[in-house]
Amino acid sequence: MQTNLKTLFQERVVQCKTEATQYSRKNDQIAIVRVLFFLVSIIGLIYFANERNVVAVAVIIVIFLIGFSIIVKYHNSIKIKKTHLDNLIQINEEEIQRLSGDLNEFDAGTKYLETTHPYAADLDVCGKHSLFQLINRSNTEKGKEKLADWLKNAAKKQTIEARQEAVIELKEKLDWRQDFQAYGKEKPASQKAMREEVDEIKVLLNWIQEPDALKNHGRYKLALLILPILTLIAIALYFITNISGYYSIGLIAINSFILWTTKDTATTTHKKTSKSISILKAYRMMILKIEQSTFKAELLKRLQVNFKHKNYTASEEINSLQNILDNLDNRANVFYHLANVIMLLDIYWLLKADRWKAKNREDVSVWFADISEFEALNGLAGFSFAHSEFVFPIIDDKPFTYQATALGHCLIKLKNRVVNDYELAGKGAIAIITGSNMSGKSTFLRTVGINAVLALAGAPVCAQEMKISKMQVFTSMRTQDSLEESVSSFYAELRRLKQLLETVAEGQPVLFMLDEILKGTNSHDRHNGAASLIRQLSKLNATGLVSTHDLELGELESQLPNVKNYSFNSQIEGDEISFDYKLHEGVCKSFNASKLMEKMGIAMNEENRV
């Protein structure tokens, strides 16, 4: 299946490159036409101006303004289509990279990691070669934050099932998904640009929530209605009749004084909004894609309806805001200021901005949040499409349910992935997993954990079948010492286990995975401590897995009714060690530490063999 998908994405790359080449030719041709039209117009103006032919000059100016604007608009549309195709090429190449397991170039989402999070670091939710890299297809920083939040916090059953329904629908809309993702790439995608986007969106949203920029709207509206007309008439009469130019100068002086009273407001508004213009372009196209679509899933319809209002749509309003801010951004142009003293452009655009804010300030935050949710769902759908063999789990109302058939780890390549059936059911149920070195104990714990994370986020899981109930996942697997805090690895693990007990005490069901617990102390204390912890957890509102080299812990199976032994084993044939990575019932019967040490050059006496 992955081979077929790779071929599909490669074909889409080739198709997009072919179309992009055609648009590149068009772009070059229109650029030439644009230059020639400009030069011919200038030559015509100079010629007829020298001939004192006012009518011809006026006609050329009108033709130039209309014609040049049409050419520029068409030229921009070609550039937009070319950029969109380039983005689609990149998206399909990224899909090929994911299929091959090469995640190095993708955003690792390390900023979303928290040292005290119940499981994110241990289960590779974020970071290098992580679940986030495999799933994320968001371009906006808010979309990435949304996905990371879903992966770090289990949702309610109703929410999970709503996401599943939405993802199943979006999964089959390949063209829609890639177009939506490509529109989000219309802005710069560097890490620096992404950080700036967060700041600029926050600044923009704060600006939208601010009170009107201009006070006394009535006074400024009256000035805008009267003064530009009077100024234009005075200028026209100066050139047509013998009327004094002082009228024009006087009106321009009045206009300049009025603009001076709003200078600080216009400058501040420009500073707060200018950098968000390119971001708004991406948001507008993504919103338009949502508005123009037909959805069946209730979650998608509920999100979509927020963009549609009785007499207008969110994309129209975002386009309007973009137009306002584009024009205010022209304040950096000297020609803008020449027109400003005649037409009071600052006041016109500031009044429009105030009207826009008054109309939309209650909705704009909802629009941006919904785009983020669409992006997160799009990521889950892309993940599901790329792994069509994965299934959507059943979310069980019965607590402490975890049943899976052919359970595997999604970050392990398909050719190397080994699957296992597994079931852990009931309050206090604990699986003690023993095994030889490198036999797969830790990987299996992560397999159980990462699929629980996927399931409780609304994503498909790497299994043939799965049923799971809502639980808080908790792991203790990669505890490390800290020189900065003067904390040993053993004490760090104790703090982690204390956090587990505190989490269990909060009342919600907990699914825990503990890897080689209390490994930082002597064997006697390790055994007693581990046995005591397992006895304690077996009586609490929790269920989980404990991996260990301590075979004596297997005796707890006969002492506690809800404890069961499992193991991973290895085989030694000559100098070779082989693993099947399959889960077996019972305590481990095979050992390979001595052979591994010998292979590393450590001479082992027969009486010291393990």
Side-chain angles (χ1 to χ4, degrees):
M1 180 60 188
Q2 285 196 326
T3 302
N4 294 337
L5 279 178
K6 185 177 180 181
T7 301
L8 170 65
F9 292 131
Q10 287 173 336
E11 289 174 350
R12 293 175 76 87
V13 168
V14 171
Q15 180 183 350
C16 289
K17 282 184 176 180
T18 301
E19 293 182 35
T21 300
Q22 295 171 352
Y23 277 104
S24 290
R25 293 196 192 100
K26 287 184 180 180
N27 179 69
D28 294 340
Q29 293 167 356
I30 295 170
I32 294 172
V33 171
R34 184 171 169 173
V35 171
L36 290 175
F37 184 79
F38 180 81
L39 291 175
V40 169
S41 298
I42 293 298
I43 292 170
L45 280 173
I46 294 172
Y47 175 80
F48 287 110
N50 288 332
E51 293 293 320
R52 299 291 191 273
N53 191 332
V54 178
V55 175
V57 168
V59 170
I60 289 175
I61 290 174
V62 171
I63 291 174
F64 172 77
L65 292 175
I66 296 174
F68 196 73
S69 64
I70 292 173
I71 293 172
V72 168
K73 186 175 181 179
Y74 182 64
H75 195 187
N76 288 337
S77 71
I78 295 298
K79 289 180 179 178
I80 290 171
K81 290 176 181 177
K82 171 65 167 57
T83 299
H84 188 68
L85 287 166
D86 288 340
N87 290 335
L88 287 172
I89 292 169
Q90 182 183 351
I91 287 168
N92 283 281
E93 288 175 340
E94 288 173 350
E95 293 294 347
I96 295 170
Q97 283 181 270
R98 287 192 183 92
L99 288 176
S100 65
D102 180 10
L103 306 177
N104 292 328
E105 295 182 12
F106 298 112
D107 183 357
T110 51
K111 64 177 77 65
Y112 309 119
L113 283 174
E114 308 157 32
T115 55
T116 59
H117 189 271
Y119 58 80
D122 287 339
L123 298 182
D124 300 307
V125 171
C126 297
K128 185 178 180 181
H129 198 72
S130 65
L131 193 58
F132 181 85
Q133 290 179 303
L134 189 62
I135 295 177
N136 177 55
R137 286 157 176 83
S138 300
N139 290 296
T140 72
E141 187 63 24
K142 289 296 182 182
K144 294 182 179 184
E145 286 180 6
K146 179 72 71 175
L147 175 61
D149 180 66
W150 287 3
L151 295 176
K152 294 193 299 179
N153 297 283
K156 297 178 181 178
K157 177 183 178 181
Q158 184 178 2
T159 302
I160 294 170
E161 291 174 341
R163 288 177 190 169
Q164 288 180 345
E165 182 189 20
V167 170
I168 289 170
E169 179 175 348
L170 290 177
K171 173 185 176 181
E172 303 305 322
K173 295 178 178 287
L174 178 59
D175 290 336
W176 188 96
R177 286 191 291 102
Q178 291 200 345
D179 278 339
F180 180 75
Q181 186 179 348
Y183 286 133
K185 286 181 175 287
E186 298 298 331
K187 54 187 179 47
S190 68
Q191 289 300 309
K192 180 181 178 182
M194 294 303 289
R195 288 194 299 271
E196 289 177 350
E197 178 211 326
V198 182
D199 295 333
E200 293 309 322
I201 288 297
K202 287 180 180 177
V203 170
L204 179 66
L205 290 175
N206 289 337
W207 170 75
I208 291 171
Q209 299 305 319
E210 289 175 359
D212 289 349
L214 292 180
K215 308 299 180 183
N216 301 313
H217 276 195
R219 183 193 307 171
Y220 286 112
K221 286 180 181 178
L222 184 63
L224 188 62
L225 181 65
I226 296 174
L227 290 175
I229 295 174
L230 292 179
T231 305
L232 287 172
I233 291 174
I235 292 172
L237 290 176
Y238 170 76
F239 285 102
I240 296 173
T241 68
N242 292 325
I243 191 173
S244 172
Y246 287 112
Y247 292 105
S248 301
I249 295 172
L251 286 166
I252 289 174
I254 294 172
N255 291 350
S256 298
F257 173 77
I258 293 173
L259 290 172
W260 176 80
T261 65
T262 63
K263 178 183 176 183
D264 291 343
T265 301
T267 301
T268 301
T269 300
H270 178 236
K271 286 182 178 179
K272 288 181 177 180
T273 60
S274 61
K275 292 183 179 179
S276 61
I277 295 172
S278 62
I279 299 170
L280 283 175
K281 291 178 181 178
Y283 273 89
R284 180 178 69 85
M285 293 305 297
M286 295 164 79
I287 292 173
L288 187 62
K289 189 71 179 176
I290 295 169
E291 291 171 347
Q292 294 176 342
S293 303
T294 301
F295 299 114
K296 296 178 182 178
E298 289 302 318
L299 176 56
L300 298 178
K301 290 193 290 186
R302 178 169 58 80
L303 292 171
Q304 183 187 46
V305 77
N306 291 332
F307 297 110
K308 295 182 178 181
H309 299 263
K310 186 175 181 180
N311 299 316
Y312 62 94
T313 63
S315 62
E316 292 170 349
E317 293 303 304
I318 294 295
N319 186 51
S320 176
L321 178 61
Q322 179 191 323
N323 181 55
I324 292 168
L325 301 186
D326 261 330
N327 281 283
L328 278 173
D329 196 45
N330 288 329
R331 296 183 86 253
N333 190 321
V334 66
F335 294 106
Y336 177 91
H337 290 287
L338 291 175
N340 196 19
V341 295
I342 299 172
M343 303 298 296
L344 299 178
L345 295 180
D346 277 357
I347 293 173
Y348 176 76
W349 295 117
L350 287 173
L351 286 172
K352 288 203 72 170
D354 283 346
R355 285 197 297 271
W356 192 96
K357 291 196 294 183
K359 180 180 180 181
N360 297 295
R361 61 165 45 102
E362 300 298 326
D363 296 317
V364 67
S365 295
V366 176
W367 297 340
F368 286 6
D370 285 354
I371 288 175
S372 303
E373 190 153 353
F374 259 101
E375 281 196 296
L377 290 169
N378 194 48
L380 295 183
F383 171 70
S384 180
F385 183 81
H387 300 87
S388 58
E389 72 277 15
F390 291 5
V391 299
F392 286 90
I394 297 171
I395 308 302
D396 196 8
D397 289 319
K398 184 180 178 181
F400 300 105
T401 298
Y402 194 114
Q403 301 171 6
T405 303
L407 188 70
H409 199 301
C410 60
L411 289 171
I412 297 176
K413 293 181 180 179
L414 181 60
K415 63 180 181 180
N416 299 326
R417 186 186 302 152
V418 177
V419 299
N420 284 285
D421 297 345
Y422 184 66
E423 179 176 353
L424 186 65
K427 178 180 176 180
I430 297 176
I432 297 178
I433 302 178
T434 53
S436 55
N437 296 287
M438 301 168 56
S439 60
K441 300 188 303 297
S442 299
T443 298
F444 181 70
L445 264 62
R446 291 193 177 93
T447 299
V448 171
I450 202 168
N451 280 289
V453 170
L454 285 169
L456 299 176
V461 296
C462 183
Q464 200 172 80
E465 293 179 349
M466 185 174 181
K467 181 186 288 187
I468 186 172
S469 57
K470 167 73 182 297
M471 290 182 281
Q472 172 61 61
V473 178
F474 192 97
T475 61
S476 178
M477 305 181 75
R478 290 172 174 162
T479 51
Q480 297 178 342
D481 59 352
S482 172
L483 293 176
E484 183 180 352
E485 298 181 24
S486 299
V487 172
S488 68
S489 58
F490 178 66
Y491 187 70
E493 186 178 4
L494 289 180
R495 290 201 308 191
R496 188 71 174 173
L497 295 176
K498 181 175 182 289
Q499 185 183 349
L500 167 60
L501 294 175
E502 290 172 345
T503 302
V504 174
E506 292 173 0
Q508 61 177 318
V510 173
L511 171 64
F512 61 82
M513 282 131 277
L514 311 180
D515 190 27
E516 294 294 343
I517 56 173
L518 305 179
K519 51 186 170 289
T521 188
N522 64 78
S523 58
H524 180 266
D525 286 342
R526 179 177 67 236
H527 173 78
N528 289 338
S532 297
L533 180 63
I534 291 171
R535 290 179 187 276
Q536 184 176 356
L537 289 171
S538 69
K539 300 174 184 178
L540 298 178
N541 200 37
T543 185
L545 303 88
V546 178
S547 74
T548 181
H549 281 94
D550 185 356
L551 301 183
E552 293 182 16
L553 286 178
E555 296 175 3
L556 292 174
E557 182 181 63
S558 62
Q559 301 170 19
L560 301 172
N562 45 3
V563 170
K564 188 171 183 178
N565 287 318
Y566 294 92
S567 62
F568 286 89
N569 298 281
S570 62
Q571 290 184 341
I572 300 176
E573 296 180 5
D575 286 335
E576 296 300 320
I577 305 172
S578 61
F579 306 94
D580 62 6
Y581 303 112
K582 300 298 289 186
L583 184 68
H584 301 274
E585 292 189 3
V587 177
C588 176
K589 298 288 193 296
S590 61
F591 310 98
N592 59 27
S594 297
K595 180 59 66 175
L596 285 171
M597 286 187 280
E598 282 182 5
K599 291 174 74 67
M600 293 299 161
I602 301 174
M604 298 294 295
N605 296 325
E606 194 65 34
E607 63 269 21
N608 293 328
R609 286 181 176 276
V610 178

